[in-house]
Amino acid sequence: MLLESLQSTVEEVNIFSTSDLFLRQRLELVESLWESVLKAECGLELVDLLKKLRKISSPEGQVTDQPKTSINELIEELELNEAIRATRAFALYFQLINIVEQHYEQRDQQLNRRSTYQESEKARENYQKGEKSTNGLVGADLLEKALVGETKSQEKGGTFHWLFPQLKRLNVPPQQIQRLLEQLDIRLVFTAHPTEIVRHTIRLKQRRIATLLRRLDQAEEAFRGMGLSSSWEAESIIEQLNEEIRLWWRTDELHQFKPSVLDEVDYTLHYFDEVLCSALPQLSQRLQQALQDNFPRIKPPHNTFCRFGSWVGGDRDGNPFVTTDVTWRTACYQRNLILEKYLAAVEDLTEILSSSLHWSNVSQDLLDSLERDRVAMPEIYDQLAIRYRQEPYRLKLAYIQKRLEHTRDRNNHLANPEQGQVLVEETPENIYHSGVEFEAELQLIKRNLEETGLKCQALENLIFQAQMFGFTLTQLDFRQESSRHSETIQTIASYLNILPTPYEELSEAEKVNWLVGELQTRRPLIPMEMPFDEKTIETVETMRMLRHLQQEFGIEICQTYIISMTNDVSDVLEVLLLAKEAGLYDPGTSTTTIRIVPLFETVDDLKRAPEIMEALFKLPLYRTALAGGYDYLDEDKKEQLPPPQLQPANLQEIMVGYSDSNKDSGFLSSNWEIHKAQKSLQKIAEPHNLALRLFHGRGGSVGRGGGPAYAAILAQPTGTINGRIKITEQGEVLASKYSLPELALYNLETATTAVIQGSLLGSGFDDIDPWNGIMEELASSARKAYRSLIYEQPDFLDFFLSVTPIPEISQLQISSRPARRKSGKKDLSTLRAIPWVFSWTQSRFLLPAWYGVGTALEGFLQQEPEENLKLFKYFYLKWPFFKMVISKVEMTLSKVDLQIAHHYVKELSDPEDIERFEKVFERISEEYHRTCEIILSITGQPKLLEGDAGLQRSVQLRNGTIVPLGFLQVSLLKRLRQYTRQAESGVIHFRYSKEELLRGALLTINGIAAGMRNTG
């Protein structure tokens, strides 16, 4: 038996140790199962072929010394079906080892958390014995002490039980911690960006295998604890794993159809249903426990300190399929999901809260509530009064459950009115109008329990969920590109003939003056019947839908409206004017129920962002709107209005984009411009007494701002976080972070830890002018080098379209959104950042995440080689921003494979293009080697990732097998493109159809994405 063959290995180590031996044992298991399934499904010939193909590369991922011609012949001679089966087999292998590694990471985090907790307990005991820190400094020295020499602690994830003892040892004043916790505001926004290549069906199979692995851990621990040599339960689980993998093999990996927006809604909200709804209460409990252990007098933050948002169903930028109907159905879908979760929880509580009046007292307020319920819902009383006559909690929960059911039924009718009327007559008393009403009833039960000395954790968790998710589940953000608003205003103004000069021809100052004037009048601008084009009508109807959603679901459902490609002050005022027309902005009180969020994406826009925001802040009308209008009203008018409860007063949210700035100027320039913009925006906001919440539009890949969130947050400029941050989470990142409960908790805890740590332990290193001057020089040099290749090299566009699978990637059915912002000419300006990064990842160049960095660093080193290298090493040690940049570049370089990349160039280029494409490749190769050499000299390591054993292991784990998949992709792309050329000429000499060839090529894209654990 397989289990017995592994027994000798297992017995050498405690199964719950953190050593790599456990990981290797699990990898051996899944690889053995993988081979077994392939033999059973396809025969020994496929397994032998796979072994032969894997010999193409060394364990480190380099192509072996065997002649390249023999490799090509082996691949090219494969029948299409053989190539496809080999591709599918390698893709399955990568998916399986991803599951194992993720499972291992989750176990490792549990162990590290336990270890960190024990260390913090020991430190707390020492502190109480009088072994206190003697350093009372707060500021730059604190960050030095916290970051330098704390590498080992940070490897444990920066958990709460690591952070708060640190703050105590560093003598951070409790009052300072308290102030920060009171304004702690972390928002993670799920987007529908098309970087998730794995089908939802396959994700479910992955989850089942992860569950079986967890059960296998428990079974093996149990039989080893009893001193037994074998376990029928473990053997049974291994057999179930085998069955799951066989079923997976027979499942199509490719999306069967282009997903609709509502499909994407379902895929994304799946993580709330499966993991987040139950995980988030634990996050709050962990923080409270760590705080109690170290600062018992500090009040913990509100339960909603970490909240989620979503763009799925609200992001219209470049996606014509996000209609008002889709947005409405999305909001109903969200409400239905959370109501079903509440119903299941109430059923569980009914089982738990069985207290009888014979043995427990209840307060009069609960009895009064039950009497009101009897009058409002007599049918429930008639049905259950006898059954629950001595069990008041169960009777109360029966009323709560029925109200939830009525609320759900009404919601389903709103989502699908064509399906008929609601079965139960709706009254104000038999439904909930908001999550606040639902929470109030739960709080009533909680108070009664506490008064009798009882506590119910399941009830506490449900109250937490009610506070966190309400009846909306998550906030739904809207986004649209700035030109759509300008075009809408132009169309309306032209139709009404109210401007002497067309709106589009006005200067920026003239636009602002006219918009401000329109915003101060109650006269409607848009006629009820709109004789406009489809786009104009859709833009106006979007605002009306936003208003309709707030009326039905409460303003918490959607308060954020993001303007992508913000270029001027008028871009923001145009949206405010359209909001006014929809009833979302009141010119009389200067109050608004939405928050307009400018998104600065390109480098030029990032540079102009401070100037634009300064101009906005100086506009009395806009400044009053930010204050909620209330603070700026006369005292007599204040008495006529309730205090503002719509938005936190005097808070401006600003979004910075990583993807387009990187595509525009390269990795180093993009990150530096974002870094600078944040500092400048903070300085501008302070004199206006405004707080900022910076919204980071990060993707999954390094080329789009991705990478470990913990280090990225700590690398933000000092004084710009202040307990507030908002970050996008998208594509494959959702699966890697939130598919398993402990991993989700770990990622949420490290993000929260980083926000607290970065806010309290500012360094001041970001404000050292000579350092900033050096970085400015480096960013400028890197941008010049990057753009000289990407935008100024005349052969580059042809090179990109030929030697990467960009034409084929656009045919993947992974998103409802088109790959290009606008149809027409296929140039880099219209191509979205995601397919841009995706294609370079597939061909193993990973160009957007590192090109230009080596040239910039080398140019500075050449000025004073020894001294400047020492300076770089010092930056790397002391400056979080610089270390983040170098670490991300190092990680990306470790995934680059120029041998494979060169194979793409030689095999996919037309013969007449080879000479000019080789020159482009040589230029890329020179920059790669230059960058590697300098990065290693800065880190002081002999090899890339030598200082990060875990990440190095993860990369090497895949490198040895991903090479043959690259060869297979090239072969299938060649065949597909040859077919296309023949079809264009009218003469086709192929055994296979275009559909068969395209399917093979797309399967290789799936496989390489799984092997790289990254797409775009």
Side-chain angles (χ1 to χ4, degrees), residues 16 26 103 208-222 231-234 236-238 240:
F16 285 91
R26 283 289 179 259
H103 174 67
R208 282 196 288 271
I209 289 177
T211 300
L212 287 171
L213 287 173
R214 189 160 57 249
R215 286 175 51 197
L216 182 60
D217 288 352
Q218 295 166 352
E220 289 181 346
E221 180 190 30
S231 165
W232 67 266
E233 185 180 358
S236 173
I237 294 170
I238 290 174
Q240 291 177 58

Side-chain angles (χ1 to χ4, degrees), residues 50 132 139 175 344 575 601 757 782:
L50 296 175
K132 301 179 181 179
Q175 300 90 334
V575 172
E601 300 182 75
Q757 181 180 342

Side-chain angles (χ1 to χ4, degrees), residues 336-350 400-406 408 438 462:
N336 186 72
L337 189 152
I338 195 60
L339 287 173
E340 292 289 359
K341 299 293 285 188
Y342 292 158
L343 280 165
V346 168
E347 288 181 9
D348 291 341
L349 278 175
T350 303
I400 291 173
Q401 181 173 341
K402 187 56 65 174
R403 284 193 177 96
L404 285 173
E405 290 173 354
H406 290 170
R408 177 201 59 194
F438 172 57
L462 184 54

